[in-house]
Amino acid sequence: MDILGLQWENIKQNIQVEYDITDIAFNIWVKPLKYGKCENKVVTILIPNTNGSPEMLKYIEKNYTSCFQSALSDLLQDNYNVKFLLEEDMQTEKSNIVPIVADDSSNAVKKSNLNSKYRFENFIVGPNNNLAHSACLNVAEAPGRDFNNPLFIYGGSGLGKTHLMTAIGHYIIENTNLKVLYVTSEEFTNEVINMFRIKDNASIVKMREKYRNVDVLLIDDIQFIIGKSSTQEEFFHTFNTLYQNGKAIVISSDKHPVHMKELDERFRSRFQNGLLVDIQPPEYETRVAILQKYAENFDYKIPNNIINYIAENIKSNIRELEGAYNQVYAGHAQTLDDAKEILKDTISPDKPAVITPPMILKGISDYYHVDPEDITSKKRNAEIVLPRQIFMYLCREMTDTTLKGVAALLDKKDHSTVLHGYNKVADEIKKDPDFRETIEAIKNKIVSL
Ligand code: ADP
Ligand code: MG
């Protein structure tokens, strides 16, 4: 299926919002429309047999052509025309459609180093990841364009970064002849280390060719190359060579480049020149949908009340969500009580995780790579002041500690500094969406400690 097929339901919903179509009109006219095909910049949209008639066709053409045309042109970043067709007429046209044959793609998949499980088809889209998902579809469809290159995906562990970037790779291999290479930054580092260890010219040339002759480079968990100077240097040249030749680069990281403290400035600015998108932890409905999708991989299905129980209790990491499902499956749980027993070490609903100031301190110090004792000290250097104010803020937000209590933790007699710190952070959150994201990222770190 191509990008429009995959995105079809979202496209229609966006049109409803953007053109302010009432629910009734949407349900009658727009919702039943099906995606037909896209050829020569003409998107064919089908009116299903159940409610298709020549009058209906005319009505839809008159009222909905322009909104589909502009929504699709926006999405595909080019001018597209729209043609409505009754589904039965499409069936007679069908013989003209040339199927895309994924000829040599299994070999290309092997060379690309992609995990075959991670595809767009089994990625559940929710409010937490829909921007990242759209950006990835966009790269998949039009790799290496100015507006999406490099694509930088960031977010906490187990939230789907590897899944999405791998899906881009599969999509491109199946639909084009472009050469795709996926690598984790650890693998890249090891190769660089080996290259310098062997030090003969041939191996250096070989390594460089491997990375610089691809059309699409997917580099996962870039945070691990930070601080490794020769690896960074090598990556920098690889990046520049690919970028200058219009090749697509997709990078994932656990943080926004601004918050990657030791990242070379030259990387930061290059990453920020591309498209940056984050993934947040999924909300309950999305967690349930992910588990239901995941369940399709198994020969028997776990009852829904157990799925809901897992989704209610595991919130911040999809890998753990799937892990809990595996445990329940392996333990042949039939009832909710069986599942609770199996998961008692993973989930303990009777003891909801209580967030404490030391956890907050740890979360913040991990995030900013500063010493927890410095945060609670009286030091006044610039890199400590902000983490300390965030500590004041989060202690108030995430625990029952009073202002005085927080002051005492910081060895201050007077709680007015705490109030000041709290207000400063609260204001900044309102003003600056990036900062709000930082705070969310820190909170996620804390709750998953
Ligand atoms: P990350 O790279 O961010 O640490 P992964 O991409 O490895 O996370 O995702 C962890 C697991 O969760 C994988 O098995 C992946 O398939 C699954 N997963 C994450 N997000 C989704 C999603 N939206 N829909 C379906 N599965 C998902
Ligand atoms: Mg990953």
Side-chain angles (χ1 to χ4, degrees), residues 186-198:
E186 280 155 314
E187 287 160 356
F188 186 83
T189 305
N190 287 338
E191 286 190 49
V192 174
I193 292 170
N194 269 334
M195 175 177 98
F196 285 117
R197 194 171 47 87
I198 301 171

Side-chain angles (χ1 to χ4, degrees), residues 153-168:
I153 312 168
Y154 64 98
S157 171
L159 296 181
K161 301 182 296 294
T162 299
H163 189 139
L164 271 181
M165 72 197 301
T166 307
I168 297 177

Side-chain angles (χ1 to χ4, degrees), residues 161-162 182 220-221 252 319:
K161 301 182 296 294
T162 299
Y182 166 91
D220 207 355
D221 288 322
S252 84
R319 201 173 293 117

